[in-house]
């Protein structure tokens, strides 16, 4: 039996051991000795002597479980070798030996490569690829751990939000490779200013967050911040360039400035922007009393981050109709926030916040894709082409990924490019005309159309109508609400409609609320209108009902009937 067992041991696994019930080695395979790389006698040694101390408890538990349960038990542990250590998966099986004493067969499989791959994947999931720092996901875990420890010990901690001053100019002037190299050096410098127990995470392009346990006094926090600011003010030698940047820091303290991760980050971010607004290269500690921004706004911003996670945002669709026929030609997609327990939050409240804190890129990308997919569903019901109009914020327009997001929306929905109308403001065009012209040309190359929203309320420069590929002018509701009685509003509308006609540009009048306004605009040649009179913003299901009713009415008017069988 022993000879058979020895033969099986050589054939099974990368390393095989026979053990007594106490875990001492009573036999081993030749491959086990080769793997471990020793000439020492193994018989009589406890298997634990070959296992890393950190895994001793796991090995002991597995041996006891294999004997007690009388079924194979698996355990992953690190086995020491002459060179280093290997990850082994051991399968322990109990059996009766020649003397009927309980013995165990431990069949080991080398899983080092598998463990290393899993470790790399875990690291990639929790760390920033460029700097190697924790990412937002791991930062979230560290903040929750810090809160739990703080509640146990009664000692608070600080969250520091950092943004590099002047980084965008470096990136724009010298390109992303130089910018990336600068970020790597900046991250290393910031790490050198912190302790081993602190956490530094990269959460955005040039945005970092530090979690500093035990630091709560203003004096201590200012010392930490001064170290960071000083480290950033030293010159950076990057690829032959001597570069100078700085950093602005905002601080929030747990639990004084927030009792949740979302509030702490929001308040630290608010304080950081205050530091930028008041001179840069300085640290501001959050204070609800001193800041002019009302507390409820900060709380709303904190709730907004949670709302994204909980899926509280939705889209409503307002019909855009032909001014003469009243036929629906398309829809404007309008973002809404349904907050549980509160109801609808005004877009005037949350859109500026989303633009400020960067959530607009996430929300805007979702809205663009969802609207394109939804308009395809509307088309199937009405049986003819429609278009969808989607607002694009300044921050979205400046985002490097915007074209990719737009392309994804078109590809995902199956719409033709001309069925998508992107609404931008005059300010977006005039703040950076060169970038705007390049991006608009890339957009229209995909046959997507551009509309100027709220025309006449911004720069109203006629030069951009010549320079940029504009397809539609949306006449702001401010010029519509007093039509046709207001002579000045009528004159402005007539000029815009005439100008658009001569430039071969469409017009959409916003805020049409009565028959008089509609009749006047149609008579003056305005092509399309939208407003409460022709259709309120509605959720998709109600729009579907509206389209089904329109389709049924059209079929009835055309006399379409289905012959009944004789």
């Amino acid at each position: 039996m022993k000879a058979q067992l020895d033969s099986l041991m050589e054939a099974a696994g990368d390393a095989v051991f026979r053990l007594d019930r106490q875990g001492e080695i009573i036999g081993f395979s030749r491959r086990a000795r080769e793997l471990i790389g020793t000439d020492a006698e193994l018989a009589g040694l406890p298997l634990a002597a070959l296992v890393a101390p950190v895994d001793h408890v796991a090995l002991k538990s597995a041996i006891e479980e294999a004997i007690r349960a009388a079924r194979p038990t698996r355990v992953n542990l690190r086995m020491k070798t002459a060179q280093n250590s290997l990850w082994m998966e051991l399968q322990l099986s109990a059996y009766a030996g020649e003397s009927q004493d309980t013995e165990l067969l431990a069949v080991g499989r080398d899983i080092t490569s598998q463990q290393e791959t899993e470790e790399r994947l875990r690291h990639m999931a929790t760390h920033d690829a460029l700097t190697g720092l924790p990412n937002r996901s791991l930062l979230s875990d560290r903040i929750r751990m810090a809160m739990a420890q703080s509640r146990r010990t009664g000692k608070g901690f600080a969250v520091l939000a950092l943004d590099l001053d002047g980084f965008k100019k470096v990136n724009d002037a010298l390109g992303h490779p130089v910018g990336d190299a600068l970020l790597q050096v900046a991250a290393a410098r910031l790490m050198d200013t912190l302790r081993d127990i602190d956490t530094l995470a990269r959460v955005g392009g040039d945005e970092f967050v530090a979690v500093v346990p035990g630091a709560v006094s203003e004096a201590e926090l200012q010392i930490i911040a001064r170290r960071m600011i000083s480290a950033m003010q030293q010159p950076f030698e990057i690829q032959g360039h001597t570069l100078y940047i700085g950093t602005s820091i905002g601080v929030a303290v747990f639990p004084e400035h927030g009792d949740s991760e979302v509030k702490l980050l929001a308040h630290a971010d608010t304080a950081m922007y205050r530091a930028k607004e008041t001179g840069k290269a300085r640290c501001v500690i959050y204070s609800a009393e001193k800041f002019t921004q009302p507390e409820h706004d900060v709380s709303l911003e904190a709730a907004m981050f949670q709302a994204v996670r909980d899926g509280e945002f939705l889209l409503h669709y307002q019909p855009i109709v032909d001014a003469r026929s009243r036929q629906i030609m398309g829809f404007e997609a309008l973002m809404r926030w349904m907050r549980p327990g509160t109801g609808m939050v005004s877009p005037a409240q949350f859109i500026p916040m989303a633009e400020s804190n960067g959530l607009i890129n996430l929300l805007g990308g979702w809205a663009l894709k969802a609207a394109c997919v939804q308009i395809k569903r509307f088309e199937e019901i009405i049986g003819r082409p429609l278009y969808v109009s989607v607002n694009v914020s300044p921050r979205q327009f400046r985002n490097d990924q915007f074209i990719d997001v737009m392309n994804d929306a078109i590809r995902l929905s199956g719409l033709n490019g001309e069925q998508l109308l992107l609404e931008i403001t005059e300010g977006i065009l005039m703040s950076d005309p060169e970038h705007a012209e390049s991006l608009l040309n890339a957009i229209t190359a995909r046959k997507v159309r551009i509309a100027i929203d709220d025309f006449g309320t911004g720069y109203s420069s006629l030069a951009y109508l010549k320079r940029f590929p504009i397809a539609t002018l949306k006449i702001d509701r401010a010029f519509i609400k007093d039509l046709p009685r207001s002579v000045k509003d009528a004159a402005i509308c007539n000029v815009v409609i005439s100008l658009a006609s001569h430039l071969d540009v469409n017009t959409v009048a916003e805020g049409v609320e009565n028959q008089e306004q509609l009749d006047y605009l149609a008579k003056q040649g305005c092509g399309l209108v939208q407003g409460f009179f022709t259709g309120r913003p509605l959720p998709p299901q109600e729009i579907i009902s509206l389209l089904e009713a329109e389709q049924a009415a059209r079929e009835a008017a055309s006399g379409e009937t289905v012959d009944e069988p004789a």
Side-chain angles (χ1 to χ4, degrees):
M1 177 180 177
K2 182 178 182 303
Q4 290 179 327
L5 188 56
D6 288 344
S7 177
L8 288 171
M9 287 173 62
E10 294 301 333
D14 296 314
V16 183
F17 301 91
R18 286 173 52 218
L19 311 174
D20 64 17
R21 63 182 305 126
Q22 281 74 43
E24 289 190 0
I25 300 172
I26 58 178
F28 52 89
S29 67
R30 174 179 51 80
R31 296 173 67 192
R33 180 188 289 280
E34 292 172 353
L35 193 66
I36 294 166
T38 179
D39 293 330
E41 181 55 51
L42 298 180
L45 283 178
L47 183 61
L50 305 178
V51 172
V54 70
D55 295 323
H56 284 181
V57 173
L59 175 62
K60 182 181 179 183
S61 298
I63 289 173
E64 291 173 352
E65 176 66 16
I67 295 172
R68 183 188 62 80
R71 66 170 180 266
T73 301
R74 281 188 172 85
V75 61
N76 292 348
L77 42 75
R78 280 148 289 195
M79 188 163 284
K80 296 182 290 186
T81 71
Q83 302 298 324
N84 43 35
S85 64
L86 298 173
W87 273 99
M88 300 290 291
E89 178 193 69
L90 282 186
Q91 178 173 292
L92 297 157
S93 304
Y95 66 93
E98 291 181 340
S99 60
Q100 298 306 306
D101 291 333
T102 298
E103 295 180 1
L104 295 113
L105 189 66
V107 180
R109 181 169 65 91
D110 184 356
I111 58 169
T112 303
S113 295
Q114 175 184 326
Q115 288 292 121
E116 289 175 349
T117 299
E118 291 176 0
E119 181 58 35
R120 281 196 299 272
L121 291 173
R122 281 193 294 269
H123 189 273
M124 289 168 61
T126 57
H127 288 75
D128 171 52
L130 179 65
T131 63
L133 295 178
N135 61 14
R136 191 179 292 274
S137 173
L138 184 53
L139 172 68
S140 181
D141 287 341
R142 296 283 174 84
I143 292 176
R144 286 195 291 267
M145 288 170 60
M147 287 192 295
Q149 184 175 3
S150 181
R151 292 185 178 111
R152 286 195 305 269
T153 64
K155 297 179 180 179
F157 67 93
V159 173
L160 286 70
L162 302 89
D163 188 89
L164 302 186
D165 303 325
F167 174 76
K168 186 178 186 299
K169 291 181 180 178
V170 172
N171 221 23
D172 291 346
L174 301 177
H176 290 292
V178 172
D180 288 349
L182 176 58
L183 286 172
Q184 290 172 326
V185 178
R189 287 189 187 180
L190 291 173
M191 280 295 297
D192 287 342
T193 68
L194 297 171
R195 305 164 298 177
D196 290 342
I197 63 171
D198 301 330
T199 295
L200 179 68
R202 182 182 177 221
V203 297
D206 62 338
E207 299 172 10
F208 299 83
V209 172
V211 180
V212 186
V216 294
S217 72
E218 181 170 354
E220 187 176 9
L221 290 168
Q222 289 291 357
I223 290 172
I224 296 169
R226 279 198 294 272
R227 286 203 304 264
M228 292 178 157
I229 292 170
S230 178
M232 290 299 99
Q233 288 177 332
Q234 300 302 312
F236 289 79
E237 300 294 337
I238 307 291
Q239 299 181 14
H241 303 280
T242 300
L243 307 173
Y244 293 89
I245 61 170
T247 186
S248 298
I249 302 174
V251 182
V253 175
F254 177 87
E256 180 183 350
H257 300 144
D259 58 0
S260 71
E261 171 199 350
V262 172
K263 286 185 178 179
L264 287 170
L265 289 172
H267 290 167
D269 208 45
T270 300
M272 183 267 290
Y273 277 106
R274 177 59 57 85
K276 279 188 170 294
E277 292 166 0
T278 54
K280 300 182 179 179
R282 63 190 301 262
C283 172
V284 171
I285 298 173
Y286 179 79
S287 169
E289 294 78 21
K290 294 180 182 178
F291 285 15
T292 56
Q293 186 178 13
E295 172 64 25
H296 76 271
D297 280 353
V298 176
S299 299
L300 188 67
E301 186 171 40
M304 189 175 178
F305 279 90
Q306 190 62 43
V308 172
R309 297 188 184 98
D310 295 344
E312 295 173 10
F313 288 91
L314 59 147
L315 292 179
H316 282 187
Y317 297 85
Q318 183 170 33
I320 300 172
V321 307
D322 185 282
R324 290 184 174 80
S325 68
R326 299 279 294 272
Q327 185 181 50
I328 295 174
M329 307 305 292
F331 295 89
E332 180 177 357
L334 299 166
M335 195 179 300
R336 297 290 184 260
W337 177 10
M338 176 60 77
R339 190 176 177 190
T342 303
M344 285 290 187
V345 179
S346 168
Q349 284 183 284
F350 72 79
I351 293 293
M353 283 186 185
E355 179 72 10
S356 173
N357 61 33
L359 276 178
I360 196 68
N361 286 326
L362 177 65
L363 289 171
W366 160 77
L368 183 57
K369 293 176 184 177
C372 287
V373 170
Q374 186 63 65
I375 213 72
K376 199 69 176 176
R377 172 75 177 115
F378 293 161
E379 281 188 346
E380 293 170 0
I381 292 165
I382 201 68
R384 59 181 173 82
L386 296 168
Y387 80 90
V388 64
S389 185
V390 181
N391 291 279
V392 178
S393 80
R395 191 158 184 163
Q396 277 181 276
F397 195 77
R398 292 192 300 268
N399 190 296
D400 293 341
Q401 304 301 314
F402 179 73
I403 291 290
D404 292 336
V405 172
M406 183 191 76
N407 287 337
D408 287 345
I410 294 172
R411 183 173 60 253
L412 182 67
S413 63
L415 286 181
N416 295 320
E418 59 266 23
Q419 293 178 269
L420 174 59
L421 183 72
L422 300 179
E423 296 189 19
I424 61 175
T425 62
E426 296 167 290
I428 290 177
L429 298 179
M430 304 312 294
S431 62
D432 189 351
E434 287 73 22
H435 174 262
E437 185 173 22
S438 173
L439 188 58
L440 292 182
N441 286 333
I443 290 170
T444 54
R446 291 154 176 81
K447 300 190 182 303
V448 174
R449 296 178 295 141
I450 302 296
I452 301 300
D453 196 15
D454 303 333
F455 182 75
T457 63
Y459 292 88
S460 297
S461 169
L462 299 184
Y464 74 67
L465 293 179
K466 176 182 177 181
R467 177 175 183 178
F468 302 121
I470 307 301
T472 299
L473 299 180
K474 298 198 75 173
I475 306 172
D476 188 73
R477 66 186 67 247
F479 306 119
I480 304 298
K481 64 184 181 67
D482 293 326
L483 286 179
R485 293 180 300 278
S486 170
V487 175
K488 290 183 178 179
D489 286 339
I492 291 171
C493 287
N494 293 348
V495 167
V496 173
I497 293 168
S498 176
L499 176 66
S501 175
H502 282 87
L503 293 175
D504 196 23
V505 171
N506 295 324
T507 49
V508 179
E510 298 181 289
V512 176
E513 296 184 354
N514 57 56
Q515 186 70 51
E516 280 185 303
Q517 293 169 347
L518 178 61
D519 291 343
Y520 179 83
L521 290 164
K523 183 178 179 181
Q524 298 305 314
C526 182
L528 301 168
V529 300
Q530 68 182 99
F532 285 180
F533 184 69
T534 54
R536 292 175 177 268
L538 296 170
Q541 198 53 49
E542 293 187 41
I543 292 293
I544 288 173
S545 299
L546 181 70
L547 293 175
E548 288 174 340
E550 179 183 311
Q551 177 70 0
R554 188 165 67 247
E555 290 176 356
S558 64
E560 291 182 9
T561 58
V562 178
D563 294 335
E564 295 183 2

